[in-house]
Amino acid sequence: MNKDIFLTNNLSNKKEKFVPINEKEVGMYVCGPTVYDDPHIGNARPLVIFDILFKVLKCKYGKNSVKYVRNITDIDDKIIISAQENNTSISELTKKIIKRFNEDCKFLNCETPSEQPKATEHIDLMIKMISKLISKNFAYENNKHVYFQVNKFNDYGKLSNKNLEDLIAGSRVEVSKNKKNPEDFVLWKPSHDGEPFWDSPWGKGRPGWHLECSAMSKKFLGDEFDIHGGGIDLLFPHHENEIAQSRCANDTKIFANFWIHNAFITMSNEKMAKSQGNILKIKDFKDKINGQVLRFSLMSAHYKQPLDWNDKLLSDSKNTIKKWYTVYLSLKTPSKIPDEILLPLYDDLNTPGYIANLHKLFEKAKNGNENDKKIFVSACNFVGILNESKNDWLDFNKRKSLISEKEITKKIELRNKARKNKDYREADKIRDELLDKGVLIEDKDGKTSWTIK
Ligand SMILES: [Zn+2]
């Protein structure tokens, strides 16, 4: 489409026209998973969001002109702790989680990025970068540790709008007697006994986490590239530190031109956190719902807005896709999607706006000819929806519902008890809860029966 792409750039906090450095080699780097545990629904949001951005960029610049790099952090404190807790080796653990991560990406119908580099395969590049930072006086060694000296980089804090005083006053900086200044961050640290280590000029140790993205983006995309993405939790300190390391080591005015961050997922309006016990893993959905329902739910809010996750969101998404399958036909080649339909995606990846357009196309397809149906299905396929055949979709839903039969029976017993006690409010609450999970109940002749919607 001959229209411009606009994206909200966190460097300026403004929506800007996207102009790549080189239209033939558009580069996007997205911080990928730390492979210590199975991915959860919060991890799934950037997977889907940046997958859609990848598709939009390819639509604009050509499918061979976009390079999407997403790293895998396979060495980190969390990984070491998780391996110890699970009584397994680090390599066994990371191998297992990488496999599950790839399965989850497939379930969400995400394309494989152009490159998926692993941190442990690029330690030599990280050591080289640290040596360069030391030689240029941006970093220093002390007691087998190497730190980046933040006050040597004038633009530190520009991405996250933080100044050094705030940083020092805040509790987010790690205190260490080895540091010259509290805001300095670690580039290299010694490994403890039993931990993995690599030889370096500063002794046996391992890199600080921030460094890997600077080293791997340089290798695959160069010193300066177009888009850097990730979850909003990475904006500070991770992305701020990446900018400091890369710009000082490479001696450049920029690192990435555009910084794009997706907002959090909340669970029934509460923050999702391990301590809250409300973490939903992607694999836990596999027995209950089709992957495209999950994908569609993740697209339902604009990426800059928090997305509240609840059963109603899932059942609404399921109902929409179920409805859309009524006009499904299999496509040999996709139809051209009209410009005005694609436009919301070009305008800051407005997925809710695109979904609204899909609804319009559906209405047309419902009463229209085969060509209208083809355009509708092509437009769905463009964002990774309706990619499986109608039979596969129907087969899946026959077998799965959001709630098990045992749970349904238990809920109905509780509802009958409430009705017996004339607690109709509770009874209605249970009925609505079941409805949210796609279960319709009916009372007839003193008996309650149920069906899956
Ligand atoms: Zn990163």
Side-chain angles (χ1 to χ4, degrees):
M1 175 163 81
N2 198 20
K3 291 266 189 325
D4 293 318
I5 294 174
F6 286 82
L7 293 166
T8 297
N9 187 356
N10 283 121
L11 266 183
S12 62
N13 282 321
K14 283 195 187 102
K15 194 158 84 176
E16 294 174 14
K17 182 171 140 182
F18 176 67
V19 182
I21 298 167
N22 177 353
E23 288 203 357
K24 299 259 174 305
E25 285 174 46
V26 180
M28 174 164 80
Y29 186 96
V30 177
C31 296
T34 300
V35 287
Y36 72 104
D37 198 359
D38 295 312
H40 56 70
I41 199 72
N43 305 127
R45 194 173 189 195
L47 295 177
V48 170
I49 291 299
F50 291 103
D51 182 59
I52 296 174
L53 182 54
F54 184 36
K55 292 177 197 309
V56 170
L57 292 169
K58 284 194 293 181
C59 176
K60 167 88 184 165
Y61 298 103
K63 68 176 178 11
N64 297 320
S65 301
V66 185
K67 199 191 252 185
Y68 170 20
V69 182
R70 187 180 63 210
N71 68 307
I72 293 173
T73 302
D74 58 351
I75 179 69
D76 173 83
D77 290 345
K78 283 184 195 160
I79 295 173
I80 294 171
I81 293 166
S82 178
Q84 281 164 354
E85 281 174 2
N86 291 294
N87 218 357
T88 184
S89 70
I90 286 170
S91 64
E92 281 300 315
L93 174 75
T94 55
K95 220 165 92 187
K96 185 176 88 182
I97 302 293
I98 289 170
K99 186 171 169 275
R100 290 194 190 161
F101 173 78
N102 287 330
E103 286 165 4
D104 289 351
C105 289
K106 217 172 148 196
F107 177 65
L108 290 165
N109 201 17
C110 291
E111 288 181 59
T112 309
S114 326
E115 302 283 350
Q116 293 195 83
K118 290 188 189 122
T120 54
E121 290 169 4
H122 295 89
I123 305 285
D124 54 333
L125 293 182
M126 297 184 220
I127 291 174
K128 232 170 151 178
M129 200 169 230
I130 297 172
S131 302
K132 207 163 181 189
L133 287 167
I134 295 175
S135 72
K136 290 174 137 187
N137 221 10
F138 287 112
Y140 57 90
E141 181 195 1
N142 190 8
N143 196 17
K144 295 180 181 167
H145 292 70
V146 183
Y147 290 98
F148 184 92
Q149 191 168 340
V150 168
N151 64 15
K152 295 258 172 125
F153 179 55
N154 285 337
D155 283 347
Y156 195 84
K158 280 225 165 131
L159 175 69
S160 53
N161 280 318
K162 288 181 191 295
N163 60 36
L164 273 189
E165 289 76 37
D166 291 345
L167 274 177
I168 297 161
S171 56
R172 301 187 74 160
V173 290
E174 182 205 355
V175 182
S176 165
K177 61 180 181 351
N178 297 316
K179 288 183 185 181
K180 278 188 190 168
N181 307 300
E183 70 274 16
D184 297 347
F185 61 88
V186 74
L187 298 172
W188 189 265
K189 57 186 175 185
S191 297
H192 296 121
D193 285 346
E195 288 180 359
F197 64 84
W198 287 263
D199 286 316
S200 82
W202 320 285
K204 290 181 189 329
R206 55 192 174 96
W209 168 48
H210 311 297
L211 193 62
E212 67 179 83
C213 294
S214 285
M216 294 190 282
S217 61
K218 181 182 169 75
K219 176 179 171 183
F220 292 100
L221 299 172
D223 293 353
E224 297 179 333
F225 55 93
D226 298 304
I227 297 173
H228 195 310
I232 191 73
D233 52 325
L234 299 179
L235 187 125
F236 183 84
H238 184 53
H239 288 164
E240 199 71 74
N241 292 354
E242 278 188 39
I243 293 174
Q245 295 159 167
S246 291
R247 282 189 47 196
C248 293
N250 302 331
D251 201 10
T252 54
K253 283 258 182 310
I254 63 150
F255 171 39
N257 272 324
F258 276 74
W259 286 81
I260 317 286
H261 294 94
N262 65 275
F264 284 126
I265 285 187
T266 53
M267 305 293 297
S268 302
N269 292 315
E270 275 180 37
K271 192 173 183 276
M272 188 170 68
K274 235 179 185 165
S275 54
Q276 301 274 351
N278 58 4
I279 298 231
L280 290 178
K281 292 182 173 171
I282 301 172
K283 67 170 183 164
D284 296 335
F285 289 96
K286 286 184 183 163
D287 281 340
K288 295 178 179 170
I289 54 168
N290 187 290
Q292 35 181 338
V293 174
L294 211 60
R295 185 179 173 96
F296 190 75
S297 303
L298 289 161
M299 288 164 48
S300 64
H302 191 270
Y303 75 91
K304 285 192 302 178
Q305 302 299 326
L307 169 63
D308 193 48
W309 198 259
N310 50 59
D311 288 336
K312 189 174 179 306
L313 172 70
L314 283 176
S315 63
D316 286 351
S317 299
K318 187 180 168 185
N319 287 337
T320 300
I321 293 180
K322 189 177 170 185
K323 187 174 79 179
W324 286 358
Y325 262 107
T326 57
V327 298
Y328 175 86
L329 43 80
S330 86
L331 295 176
K332 281 208 172 65
T333 45
S335 300
K336 192 186 175 307
I337 305 165
D339 284 4
E340 71 269 19
I341 298 296
L342 277 173
L343 212 54
L345 290 180
Y346 276 53
D347 185 10
D348 205 13
L349 217 62
N350 180 0
T351 48
Y354 190 71
I355 291 172
N357 281 349
L358 291 178
H359 281 291
K360 282 183 209 156
L361 286 181
F362 169 75
E363 289 305 320
K364 209 172 160 196
K366 205 168 64 176
N367 308 310
N369 56 28
E370 193 166 300
N371 198 37
D372 294 325
K373 289 181 183 171
K374 275 186 180 169
I375 292 174
F376 170 67
V377 175
S378 301
C380 287
N381 288 170
F382 183 73
V383 285
I385 301 291
L386 260 62
N387 293 73
E388 59 184 344
S389 74
K390 192 172 177 179
N391 279 344
D392 285 348
W393 162 262
L394 291 174
D395 267 6
F396 184 94
N397 290 304
K398 256 186 226 151
R399 287 180 284 121
K400 322 276 179 183
S401 77
L402 284 171
I403 180 167
S404 70
E405 255 186 75
K406 212 171 130 191
E407 282 172 291
I408 297 172
T409 316
K410 208 173 132 198
K411 289 269 177 203
I412 289 178
E413 273 170 22
L414 284 172
R415 178 171 170 269
N416 286 342
K417 215 167 152 188
R419 290 171 79 209
K420 221 171 155 185
N421 296 333
K422 299 205 182 332
D423 187 355
Y424 296 114
R425 190 192 256 188
E426 176 67 14
D428 287 350
K429 205 181 117 197
I430 296 170
R431 188 197 57 209
D432 291 346
E433 249 174 59
L434 284 168
L435 198 62
D436 275 351
K437 291 186 167 141
V439 180
L440 199 65
I441 52 177
E442 197 185 7
D443 303 307
K444 211 175 172 187
D445 306 329
K447 275 190 177 166
T448 307
S449 62
W450 59 268
T451 45
I452 300 284
K453 271 203 293 177

